[in-house]
Every structure is written in structure tokens, then in C-alpha cells.
Amino acid sequence: MQATSGRSAGLGLALTSALAFGGSGVAAKPLIEAGLDPLHVVWLRVAGAALVLLPLAWRHRALLIRRPALLAGFGLLAVAGVQACYFAAISRIPVGVALLLEYLGPALLLGWVRFVQRRPVSRAAAVGVVLAVGGLACVVEVWSGLGFDALGLVLALGAACCQVGYFVLSDHGTDGEAPADPFGVIAYGLLIGALLLTAVARPWEMDWTVLAGAADMNGTEVPAALLLGWVVLVATVAAYLTGVLAVRHLSPQVAGVVACLEAVVATVLAWVLLGEHLSGPQLVGGGLVLMGALIAQSSTPKAASDGPVAAGGGAAEGVPAGPDASAGLEASAGLEASGGLDVPAGLEASGGRELSGGRELSGDTRPA
């Protein structure tokens, strides 16, 4: 009875996290269209969330000495990189398209394992990659000559690549006798990400008057401050924390499946609230991308003596993401990479991503 209750609570938390992460792009895009630079919106999101999580950072301050490289990499890739690329992408292409492209992260990770590390991957993982790539072709409608803004597509793929960096880093937090606490990694990742983005975004040049006005959401005027509050408190702080708690009640595979709902939520919300309609082929392509991510993620790694050792990873956003977007700090199994680097074989999903226990370092860290 207690196990069933814990599982139900975990599923509820995972759904809450996916819903929260999925709404980030829908709330952020009106702010961008109202006059804020995408980097300024990212800075406001990350800096605001970092400020809220300062008590967690203080509680886990020992991480600064124990795992400085992990925190720096996490702040650079899983926070600043993913979210900056994702928000810049949604300023040029539809929210649903950007997030679906970000979900190519698991496929890109398998490409890293297969072609960079030159390690075999399981057949199921390979099928997942083929489905995801085929779905991508439908999402961007390659037969029409890439009807979307080319830079927007590149930025969305950049978010997916940053997710790969996050996945590769995630195993480094699970090694040693005292794994890094996911709450501390999230808090310091946001703090470091905010510092990095301050140097790049130069928030002192922001048009702060936009926040005092209203933003247009498909014909409806919404206070800009309300949208920003949603992005910071719900789509970042609440999304990350509920994701972490959810993973501690669920297996990585179950949490990863639920996390894929982030892309569905984002697409539906963008359709309803922003009027961003997707065509039939794009919807089919989005389904293929998610199916490929699920197959790759649910594939369990085999022992080296049994054949392929790389079986795939989960989606992220996110902590991270699903950003967005999603992506968890949990690695259900690690693959030893060249140079002693551990790459997660079964990746916990967001958030991303997406930041994401059986293991002590876990939690949804999807960035989107």
C-alpha cells in the first residue's frame, strides 16, 4: 500500500513538473515579442530562480569545494546553454517545433557514443534514433525547403547539443562515496548560469519598462510581470523541485516517459494560447520524435559480454529539460567513456531535463 501511494505521488509530481516546464516557452514568447531580447528573458528566468533557491545553495555550499567542475559545467551547459539557445529559438520558430527539436538530445547522445567513442549501441536504441530523425524531417517539413527560419532551427539544435553535454556531465555527479545532492547542483547551476548570462546578456541594457506593461498573448493583453512570475516561479523553481521529488519516487524509465509529456504540453499550449498551429505532417513528425526518444530511453544497457553496451538516454529539458526542455541528473546506468568519462546509458528525463532516485544524484533538470 505504501509503495503504491509513493508511486502515485511520484506520478503526480512528474506530471506537475512536465506541465510546469511545458509552459515556459508559452509564457516567455509574449515577453520577447513585447520587446525583451531573448537573452534578457533567459537572464530574468535564471537569475530570478537562483535568487529564490539561494537558501538551498547555502545549505549545500560544500559542493563549491567538492565538485567545482561539475557545477561549472552544469551552469554553462544545462542552464545557460540550453535555455539561451531554446529561448532564442522560440523567438524565431514556433514553440512546439523548438521543443521537439530539443528532444533530439537522446539521439545525439547515442551518436556521440557510437561515432565519437566508437562503441556499439543496441538495436532498439538505433531504431529510436531513426524514428527521431525521421520525425525531425517531418517537423521541419524538409520537402518544402525548410520553411522555418534557418537560424531558429540551428539554435534549437544547439539546445539539443547542450543537453548532450549535460547528459555527459551528469554521471560525474554520481561517482565517489558522497554523490552530489541534486538540489545543490540545481541551485548552484542556476547561480553560475546567472553569472555567465550576466556577462553575455548585459541586463543593464534591458528595457525594464516592458515589465511594467502588458504583453500580447494571441490577442489577449497579459501583465508582463505576471508572465515573468510564471516563468521564474512555476516553469523553473517549481518545475525543477517537483521533478527532483518525482524521480525519487519513480524509476528512471517511468519518469522519462512522463517527462516526454512536456513537448506535448508545450505544443498544445502554444496552439491554444499563441495560435501556433502545426500541420498534420508536423504532428505526425512530433509523435515520431517522442516515440524515438521513448524507445531510446527505455532501452536498458547490456553487459559488455552480451553485445551492445550503449542503450540510449532519456529526454531532458530543461533541470533543466525540459531547459526546456528537455533530462535528469540520474543515470540509470553509466557507460565508461574514453578518458575515464562516464556517459549515462539510461538517462533520466526531466526537464530537458531538464535537471533529473535510486542514486543520490538525481532529479529532473530539464532546461526548457
Side-chain angles (χ1 to χ4, degrees):
M1 178 67 70
Q2 185 175 0
T4 301
S5 176
R7 185 178 180 83
S8 298
L11 287 172
L13 288 167
L15 286 170
T16 300
S17 181
L19 289 170
F21 273 120
S24 64
V26 174
K29 189 158 188 173
L31 293 174
I32 296 172
E33 294 178 341
L36 288 180
D37 185 272
L39 276 178
H40 289 159
V41 178
V42 175
W43 180 85
L44 287 169
R45 178 187 187 181
V46 174
L51 186 63
V52 173
L53 294 181
L54 268 179
L56 275 178
W58 175 256
R59 179 180 179 183
H60 298 286
R61 57 191 180 276
L63 283 176
L64 285 173
I65 298 176
R66 289 176 44 226
R67 313 302 294 270
L70 172 65
L71 299 182
F74 193 81
L76 175 63
L77 295 175
V79 175
V82 173
Q83 296 193 29
C85 288
Y86 174 67
F87 275 27
I90 65 173
S91 70
R92 311 180 73 95
I93 61 177
V95 171
V97 173
L99 194 55
L100 287 169
L101 294 184
E102 191 176 324
Y103 266 76
L104 285 175
L108 294 176
L109 177 61
L110 289 173
W112 169 276
V113 173
R114 178 65 182 88
F115 298 107
V116 177
Q117 296 181 353
R118 299 184 182 281
R119 298 172 67 89
V121 298
S122 69
R123 181 176 300 177
V127 170
V129 171
V130 171
L131 285 175
V133 173
L136 169 63
C138 294
V139 170
V140 301
E141 297 183 325
V142 292
W143 54 84
S144 62
L146 294 179
F148 293 114
D149 181 277
L151 180 57
L153 296 178
V154 170
L155 288 167
L157 290 173
C161 290
C162 286
Q163 278 192 8
V164 174
Y166 153 72
F167 290 147
V168 173
L169 282 172
S170 65
D171 257 2
H172 284 277
T174 63
D175 54 13
E177 296 181 358
D181 188 281
F183 289 106
V185 175
I186 291 170
Y188 277 106
L190 288 168
L191 280 171
I192 294 172
L195 291 175
L196 293 171
L197 288 169
T198 298
V200 176
R202 306 173 73 178
W204 50 88
E205 297 180 354
M206 186 189 314
D207 184 4
W208 293 88
T209 61
V210 172
L211 298 178
D216 178 75
M217 182 176 282
N218 196 27
T220 302
E221 294 293 313
V222 181
L226 180 62
L227 292 174
L228 178 61
W230 177 276
V231 169
V232 172
L233 298 177
V234 178
T236 307
V237 175
Y240 281 141
L241 296 182
T242 54
V244 169
L245 294 174
V247 170
R248 293 185 174 184
H249 288 85
L250 301 171
S251 68
Q253 289 78 13
V254 173
V257 170
V258 176
C260 283
L261 290 175
E262 179 191 347
V264 178
V265 169
T267 302
V268 171
L269 289 178
W271 194 316
V272 174
L273 299 178
L274 301 181
E276 295 183 348
H277 300 278
L278 299 183
S279 66
Q282 287 176 315
L283 291 175
V284 172
L288 290 175
V289 170
L290 294 179
M291 187 183 301
L294 288 172
I295 292 175
Q297 178 179 302
S298 61
S299 302
T300 55
K302 301 177 181 180
S305 59
D306 294 333
V309 292
E317 189 263 42
V319 128
D324 256 17
S326 106
L329 288 178
E330 168 104 17
S332 63
L335 296 177
E336 186 177 349
S338 56
L341 184 65
D342 282 340
V343 179
L347 295 175
E348 178 75 38
S350 45
R353 340 210 39 74
E354 26 1 130
L355 315 166
S356 109
R359 287 192 185 178
E360 197 171 332
L361 177 61
S362 60
D364 189 340
T365 54
R366 291 166 304 168

